[in-house]
DNA sequence: AAAACTGTATGACCCAGATCAATTAACTGC
DNA sequence: GCAGTTAATTGATCTGGGTCATACAGTTTT
C-alpha cells in the first residue's frame, strides 16, 4: 500500500492582507476590541504596524527587550523556550487573532520566550507604551485581556499536569486533540491538522523526542486512529485518543 | 551521627489576625490595593469575608463552582491538580498576600485546581461579582492584577520548560531555589525552608516520586549542599545547586 | 527524471528513574 | 518516657522512553 499523498494546502498569504484596509477588519474582529465603537477601533488601528514574516523566521528572541505586543493577523506562530541543554520546548502555537509578546512596560523588560513564524505570516504589532494607553482609555479592554491571560495560565497549568503525570503516549494524544480543536480542519474522513508541523514540533510540545513520537504515531496509525504524512496528521478516531488519556495508566 | 532536630517553628496563627482591624492592614498592604486612598481600601475591606482553615483542609476543589477570589492573609496554601491516574501535581505554594481562585464571573465557571491549606491559615475571600465591581471602579487595580497573572503565566511556562528538558535532579534543585527565594528564612548557616513540606510535596512539584526525591536529597546532603529533616530543608550552598541547573546535561 | 535534501520510520541498546519492599528515624499523644 | 504513627531512607529490580545508527520516502532542485 502506498502512502497517501499530502493533503496539505497552505493558505495563500496575500501581502495585501496587511494593508491598512484589511487591518481594520482584522483588528475590529479581535475579542479584545470588537465591542468598541468604530471610531475607537479606527484610532487603535493607527497605532498598529504590520510586519510580514517568512516561514521559520524569528519574530523576537528570548531575552530581547519586550517592547511590543504582537497579534497574528495571518499565518501561524510558535512560541518556544530554549533550555540550556539545547533542547527546544514548544509552549504554544498561535494563529489568526491570537496575541503574543508582552502587555506592558511594567510587567517585565525582557521576553521570556522566542516567537518563530511557522508559516509565512503577517504580524501586527503595537508598542507596549501605546497599548498601555489603550488599556488606560478602555478599562473593559483590560478586563478582556485579563480574561485571555487567565485562560492561557489555566492551559499552561494543564500542560504542567500532563508533563508530570501522563505517559508520552497520553501526552501525544492530548497534544493532537488540542491542536485539532484549535487549528484542525474538518474533512470528510476526519480532522486534518496541517500547520504544518513535524514530529520534531510534536516532540517539543510533549517533552519527548522525534523518534519516540514517530513510534507512537505509527502505533496510532496501525490502530487506524490517525493517518499521517510529512508535516500533517489527520485524526480519524478522536474517541480512541480520548480514552487513552482518561485511562488511569495503572 | 544523630540527625539534627527540627528547626521548624511555625508561625503562630492568632485567630485575631482575621479580625476586622487586622484585615484592613493586610488588605491595605496588598500590591493590588496599596496605592488606593484609605477610604477606598476601607470600602473594599468590607467586601471581604474571612475564613479560618486548619492545616490539610481543602479550601475548594477542582471542578467546584468558582465563585470567590481568595487571598492568603496568614499561613500557606498549596494549589494542586489531580491527574486521572491518581497522581497529585503541585502547581504552586502561596503565602501571605498571594491571591488564588478566579477573578471574575466571566473567565470560567469552575475552578481548575484544588486549594489546600498547608498550615493553619486565615483566608480572605470576596465574591467574583464584588471583585468585578472593584475592577470596574478601579482600572489601575485591573492593570496590577493583569501584571500579577502575566507573571504567574511566565512562571508556569518556566515549569513547563523544566519538566520537558531537565533531569529530576535539576528540577529538584530548581524547586528548592524557588521555594527558598519565595518562602525561605535566612538563618546563620543557610536558608531554611519550613513550609512545612514533605518529600511527597517536593515530588508532586517536580513530577517525580518520594523515593527518588529522597535519594536526590541524600546526595545533596552528602555533598554538604543542604541539611534536611522531616518536612524541612536548609540550603547551605545555593551556588552549587545553581551550577547543577545551568550545566548542560550532555 | 535524476539527484539532493529533509523529514519519517525502525531496530538495537541502555539508563534514569519508577516501582516494590522492608527498615529506620522523627514526631505525637498519652 | 513509652507506644503508636507517619515520614524518610535505602536496597533490589524492572521498564518507558531516550540515544545512536541506519534505511527509507516525500518533496524540491537541477
Amino acid at each position: 500500500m502506498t502512502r497517501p499523498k499530502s493533503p496539505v494546502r497552505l493558505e495563500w498569504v496575500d501581502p495585501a492582507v496587511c494593508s491598512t484596509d484589511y487591518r481594520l477588519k482584522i483588528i475590529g474582529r479581535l475579542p479584545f476590541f470588537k465591542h468598541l465603537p468604530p471610531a475607537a477601533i479606527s484610532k487603535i488601528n493607527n497605532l498598529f504596524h504590520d510586519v510580514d514574516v517568512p516561514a521559520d523566521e524569528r519574530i523576537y528572541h528570548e531575552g530581547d527587550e519586550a517592547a511590543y505586543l504582537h497579534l497574528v493577523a495571518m499565518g501561524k506562530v510558535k512560541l518556544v523556550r530554549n533550555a540550556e541543554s539545547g533542547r527546544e520546548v514548544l509552549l504554544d502555537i498561535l494563529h489568526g487573532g491570537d496575541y503574543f509578546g508582552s502587555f506592558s512596560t511594567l510587567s517585565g523588560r525582557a521576553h521570556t520566550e522566542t516567537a518563530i513564524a511557522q508559516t509565512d505570516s503577517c504580524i501586527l504589532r503595537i508598542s507596549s507604551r501605546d497599548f498601555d494607553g489603550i488599556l488606560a482609555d478602555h478599562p473593559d479592554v483590560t478586563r478582556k485581556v485579563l480574561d485571555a491571560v487567565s485562560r492561557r495560565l489555566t492551559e499552561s497549568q494543564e500542560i504542567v499536569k500532563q508533563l508530570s503525570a501522563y505517559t508520552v503516549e497520553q501526552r501525544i494524544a492530548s497534544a493532537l486533540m488540542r491542536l485539532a480543536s484549535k487549528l484542525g480542519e474538518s474533512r470528510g474522513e476526519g480532522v486534518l491538522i496541517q500547520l504544518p508541523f513535524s514530529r520534531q514540533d510534536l516532540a517539543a510540545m510533549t517533552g519527548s523526542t522525534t523518534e519516540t513520537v514517530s513510534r507512537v504515531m505509527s502505533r496510532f496509525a496501525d490502530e487506524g486512529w490517525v493517518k499521517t504524512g510529512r508535516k500533517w496528521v489527520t485524526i480519524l478516531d478522536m474517541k480512541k485518543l480520548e480514552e487513552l488519556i482518561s485511562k488511569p495508566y495503572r
Side-chain angles (χ1 to χ4, degrees), chain A:
Chain A
M1 180 191 137
T2 159
R3 185 180 307 276
K5 284 290 174 291
S6 171
V8 176
R9 300 287 169 270
L10 276 182
E11 45 188 325
W12 170 244
V13 179
D14 189 336
V17 111
C18 263
S19 73
T20 320
D21 303 344
Y22 271 96
R23 274 173 41 190
L24 199 64
K25 207 162 88 187
I26 289 165
I27 291 173
R29 262 198 246 125
L30 286 173
F32 299 163
F33 302 131
K34 67 170 174 235
H35 63 293
L36 295 175
I41 291 180
S42 159
K43 205 170 135 196
I44 288 172
N45 179 42
N46 292 328
L47 297 172
F48 276 94
H49 297 270
D50 45 272
V51 197
D52 280 303
V53 186
D56 295 325
E57 190 156 298
R58 269 179 18 193
I59 299 166
Y60 56 76
H61 193 275
E62 202 171 338
D64 286 355
E65 192 203 351
Y68 296 95
L69 172 71
H70 303 252
L71 294 174
V72 183
M74 202 86 223
K76 310 274 192 294
V77 171
K78 61 179 175 185
L79 302 184
V80 158
R81 266 197 194 213
N82 288 101
E84 296 74 5
S85 62
R87 197 190 270 272
E88 189 174 82
V89 178
L90 207 168
L91 297 172
D92 209 348
I93 296 184
L94 311 173
H95 63 149
D98 285 333
Y99 73 88
F100 62 106
S102 88
F103 279 115
S104 78
T105 46
L106 303 176
S107 62
R109 315 246 153 264
H111 286 297
T112 53
E113 79 286 324
T114 300
I116 303 172
Q118 183 96 334
T119 65
D120 294 342
S121 299
C122 170
I123 305 300
L124 301 178
R125 65 180 200 189
I126 183 173
S127 77
S128 300
R129 174 183 298 276
D130 285 342
F131 195 71
D132 273 350
I134 296 177
L135 295 186
D137 291 347
H138 303 281
D140 43 342
V141 172
T142 316
R143 273 310 306 279
K144 285 179 193 299
V145 171
L146 174 57
D147 286 342
V149 179
S150 297
R151 207 168 308 120
R152 215 169 267 188
L153 173 59
T154 301
E155 284 167 16
S156 177
Q157 290 176 338
E158 174 64 23
I159 307 280
V160 169
K161 183 186 95 177
Q162 295 188 3
L163 287 169
S164 301
Y166 285 17
T167 63
V168 167
E169 190 175 73
Q170 291 177 312
R171 266 137 55 194
I172 292 174
S174 168
L176 286 179
M177 290 177 55
R178 237 180 308 132
L179 289 172
S181 73
K182 194 168 157 185
L183 302 157
E185 301 162 32
S186 252
R187 293 292 164 93
E189 48 175 4
V191 182
L192 169 66
I193 313 175
Q194 53 144 344
L195 298 178
F197 78 118
S198 61
R199 299 286 175 274
Q200 186 77 254
D201 290 320
L202 203 42
M205 284 187 77
T206 54
S208 177
T209 61
T210 8
E211 294 95 326
T212 299
V213 170
S214 185
R215 272 182 253 270
V216 171
M217 293 296 278
S218 296
R219 210 180 311 154
F220 287 177
D222 285 349
E223 298 279 358
W225 302 341
V226 304
K227 197 182 279 188
T228 75
R230 207 182 161 97
K231 297 208 167 191
W232 61 267
V233 177
T234 300
I235 298 179
L236 302 175
D237 195 336
M238 203 73 105
K239 278 219 185 68
K240 289 286 184 185
L241 295 180
E242 216 166 328
E243 270 173 38
L244 212 63
I245 295 167
S246 56
K247 174 179 69 184
Y249 85 130
R250 45 169 305 103

